[in-house]
């Protein structure tokens, strides 16, 4: 038998073995692949969107050239996270997957979760601005009659009083009018703590900032596991921050130049029939649902759906329904219903 025949036979054996493995893999991992998106979502903890995701396995042909075959395409869906990230599921064996906030291009900070289309006005002139950051630094863009301009920008390493700008570990957003002065501020977090920055002329200044370990009323700041879900108006004339952690949920608001907790609830708390559990609850939308102009929180879980209403120093749940409930002709099933 020639060397060529030997290589050809080896290649056929390898291909048959690989095809058998692929078929077995697809059968045995069907359930886990279907649950991949929700599992990844639980591990990261906020609402993000996967545009596409493919798992590849690699093999070597008789010519010793490695090539790939798609083994496990995963359908688009929601996952969770608090920054744009890239995941490599296996060294060299699985494709790197970019995961980005829905509707927000890489490097451009949006108005915050649950607020698509909200105007961002960083200078208070009544027109929309665009916050932008890069490995160089931070700035914002505004459209003028002559084209796009950058009214303010700052390089990494710049100190705004006590806040050190570093776009490699600073995370920007939500953007909201947290002090009620008619222009938006930028909430920023880092491994050090949290701050609220305001553009003033061509630079920025901190409205407030605090290191990890600070208590805002009863809320303990820890940017490693705190997640700022949205900044909306919960009955006040300024935007408040809806925040979650492994401990529970809270609403933080600016008062007297510092953040304080307006209302909090620990995991396990039952509010009008709804059990708070940040490991299982998904906070999917922040909009005025009650007609009073103040925001409510649409929350789902494996049990069903509820409307969480922070007002003053209390949470209420004016509505909740279990899976299997019909809203007119619509059958509620939070396992496959997508809200937005």
């Amino acid at each position: 038998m020639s060397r060529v025949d030997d290589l050809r036979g080896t290649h056929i054996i390898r291909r048959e073995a690989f095809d058998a493995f692929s078929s077995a893999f697809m059968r045995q991992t069907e359930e886990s692949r279907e649950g991949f998106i929700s599992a990844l979502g639980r591990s990261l903890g906020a609402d993000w969107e996967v545009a596409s995701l493919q798992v590849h396995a690699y093999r070597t042909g008789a010519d010793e050239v490695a090539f790939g075959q798609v083994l496990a395409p995963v359908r688009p869906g929601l996952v969770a996270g608090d920054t744009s990230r890239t995941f490599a599921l296996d060294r060299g064996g699985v494709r790197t997957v970019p995961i980005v906030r829905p509707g927000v291009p890489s490097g451009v900070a949006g108005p915050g979760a649950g607020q698509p289309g909200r105007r961002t006005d960083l200078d208070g002139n009544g027109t929309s601005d665009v916050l932008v950051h890069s490995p160089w630094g931070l700035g914002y863009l505004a459209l003028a009659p002559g084209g796009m301009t950058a009214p303010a920008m700052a390089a990494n390493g710049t100190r705004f009083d006590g806040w050190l700008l570093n776009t490699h570990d600073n995370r920007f957003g939500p953007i909201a009018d947290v002090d009620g002065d008619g222009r938006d501020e930028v909430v920023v977090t880092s491994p050090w703590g949290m701050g609220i920055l305001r553009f003033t002329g061509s630079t920025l200044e901190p409205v407030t900032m605090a290191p990890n370990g600070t208590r805002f009323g009863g809320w303990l700041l820890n940017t490693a596991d705190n997640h700022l879900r949205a900044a909306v108006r919960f009955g006040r004339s300024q935007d408040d921050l809806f925040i979650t952690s492994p401990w529970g949920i809270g609403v933080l608001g600016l008062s007297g130049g510092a953040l304080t907790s307006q209302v909090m609830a620990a995991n396990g708390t039952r509010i009008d029939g709804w059990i708070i559990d940040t490991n299982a609850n998904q906070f999917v939308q922040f909009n005025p649902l009650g007609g009073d102009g103040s925001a409510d929180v649409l929350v789902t879980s494996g049990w069903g759906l509820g409307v969480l209403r922070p007002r003053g120093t209390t949470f209420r749940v004016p509505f909740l329904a279990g899976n299997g409930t019909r809203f007119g002709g619509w059958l509620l099933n939070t396992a496959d219903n997508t809200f937005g």
Side-chain angles (χ1 to χ4, degrees), residues 176-180 183 185 187 196 231 236 238-241 254:
D177 184 10
V178 295
D179 61 3
R183 59 175 172 164
E185 292 79 39
V187 181
I196 298 175
R236 300 205 304 160
Q238 61 201 69
D239 293 323
D240 294 322
L241 307 175
L254 193 67

Side-chain angles (χ1 to χ4, degrees), residues 271-291:
I271 304 173
D272 299 325
W274 186 271
I275 299 176
I276 299 298
D277 181 2
T278 54
N279 296 308
N281 293 178
Q282 300 294 318
F283 305 96
V284 297
Q285 197 175 87
F286 301 82
N287 281 313
L289 300 175

Side-chain angles (χ1 to χ4, degrees), residues 188-251:
V188 56
T189 61
S190 76
W192 173 84
M194 182 170 76
I196 298 175
L197 302 180
R198 172 172 54 207
F199 281 96
T200 301
S202 59
T203 187
L204 293 99
E205 63 180 11
V207 176
T208 187
M209 59 183 186
N212 286 327
T214 301
R215 284 198 178 271
F216 302 135
W219 188 270
L220 179 64
L221 177 65
N222 178 9
T223 55
D225 63 17
N226 289 189
H227 298 282
L228 291 163
R229 305 293 183 170
V232 288
R233 301 203 170 185
F234 292 120
R236 300 205 304 160
S237 60
Q238 61 201 69
D239 293 323
D240 294 322
L241 307 175
F242 188 83
I243 190 169
T244 66
S245 78
W247 175 86
I249 63 174
V251 174

Side-chain angles (χ1 to χ4, degrees), residues 40 88 99-100 129 133 153 242 258 267 269 271 276 284 308 328 331:
L40 183 58
I99 299 180
V100 299
D129 305 307
H133 57 86
M153 56 185 182
F242 188 83
N267 284 335
T269 303
I271 304 173
I276 299 298
V284 297
L308 184 64
L331 179 64

